[in-house]
Amino acid sequence: MHGPVHRREYRFAGSKGWIWTAMAAPLAGAAGLTYKMASDEGVPIPVPIAVGAVFTAMFVLLFLAIHATATISDERHLTIRGVFRSRQTPWPEVQAIETELNPQRGSDVAPRHLTVIYDAAGGRYTLPHLNDRSRPDFTRDVEALREVWILRRGDGWTPVPTAAVRIAEARRPSPSRAQPITIAALVALLAFWVGFVVQAIVLMTGVYAYDADHDWIETALHPVAWLVGLPVVAFVITLATVVARHRA
């Protein structure tokens, strides 16, 4: 790596152009769906406003996750840049840099191993883009970052006892389970996109234009039912199911 040995940056390593090309169709569909709902007199005005806001928030979050998040080391700090905030930890306060199994692993797109740091207060923080999915030479990258930490923490560095206890607990083998709320949120997101596809078909083909004799069908096909109701129901049912299975 060029430049000072302590200066390292880990950012999104995938093809940004490919991602935004793949997102062009969903973006156009979202804009078309929102416009169609806004033009439909049978759809209350707050509905397209809310749906448009949700789509906008999703694309903004994706943009920030790709372009803004990073792990950066410099002479004095290790910086974690998240979507909404950044955290700087001075090197002497770093207690450990560890690789851990990803609780949400299991799919082809999820990394199997993550890198985390523990600070002097016992806090545990995941380092963005420093995982075996983003970094081809993941093990070497982690070792290089540890070398920077050892170099910059100072000769008088000693571990904080309370933090050491937390780190020891984290190292103990334990069943790997994704958090129930994470699983439920992913299912709800999938349900939202299912609702999006259904509403795109319904509104673009004009199927929604039923008369008063078909109120129950109109209610069943209403955008609120598919874009809000379906994700909420999916979230609640999934969360209850996963929690029940974990307790069994």
Side-chain angles (χ1 to χ4, degrees):
M1 178 174 289
H2 301 292
V5 67
H6 55 258
R7 180 70 184 186
R8 295 179 179 271
E9 293 191 11
Y10 305 95
R11 297 180 179 273
F12 179 78
S15 173
K16 298 176 182 178
W18 182 89
I19 287 181
W20 291 117
T21 299
M23 292 302 296
L27 180 60
L33 177 61
T34 304
Y35 173 78
K36 191 71 174 180
M37 286 190 295
S39 303
D40 191 333
E41 295 181 357
V43 179
I45 291 299
V47 174
I49 293 176
V51 171
V54 169
F55 280 126
T56 301
M58 291 175 63
F59 285 111
V60 168
L61 287 175
L62 177 62
F63 178 87
L64 292 176
I66 293 174
H67 294 276
T69 57
T71 297
I72 302 173
S73 69
D74 58 28
E75 186 175 357
R76 297 182 178 181
H77 306 93
L78 181 61
T79 302
I80 299 174
R81 287 187 181 173
V83 172
F84 298 111
R85 58 174 295 186
S86 295
R87 173 182 293 275
Q88 281 191 333
T89 304
W91 287 118
E93 293 186 13
V94 175
Q95 299 297 298
I97 300 175
E98 301 280 314
T99 58
E100 298 180 359
L101 286 173
N102 180 9
Q104 280 78 50
R105 70 188 187 279
S107 68
D108 292 337
V109 298
R112 179 172 176 78
H113 292 91
L114 306 172
T115 307
V116 302
I117 67 164
Y118 292 87
D119 64 13
R124 174 188 177 278
Y125 305 98
T126 301
L127 301 184
H129 308 301
L130 189 51
N131 55 67
D132 57 3
R133 179 73 180 176
S134 300
R135 309 295 303 179
D137 198 2
F138 169 62
T139 301
R140 180 68 192 99
D141 285 329
V142 175
E143 287 301 321
L145 191 62
R146 287 196 183 110
E147 290 173 4
V148 175
W149 168 46
I150 293 171
L151 177 66
R152 304 308 308 176
R153 69 188 184 185
D155 295 335
W157 181 89
T158 56
V160 176
T162 54
V165 172
R166 173 76 189 276
I167 297 168
E169 291 175 349
R171 287 173 176 169
R172 293 172 187 166
S174 60
S176 179
R177 291 175 173 174
Q179 294 295 322
I181 195 168
T182 301
I183 298 174
L186 291 174
V187 173
L189 180 60
L190 177 61
F192 177 85
W193 283 109
V194 170
F196 167 73
V197 172
V198 170
Q199 282 302 298
I201 295 173
V202 169
L203 293 176
M204 296 299 180
T205 59
V207 177
Y208 186 73
Y210 288 100
D211 52 35
D213 294 334
H214 301 87
D215 285 346
W216 68 272
I217 298 179
E218 186 173 339
T219 300
L221 295 177
H222 199 281
V224 174
W226 285 91
L227 298 177
V228 179
L230 181 62
V232 169
V233 171
F235 180 88
V236 172
I237 293 177
T238 303
L239 182 62
T241 302
V242 174
V243 170
R245 288 185 177 181
H246 281 190
R247 291 179 177 177

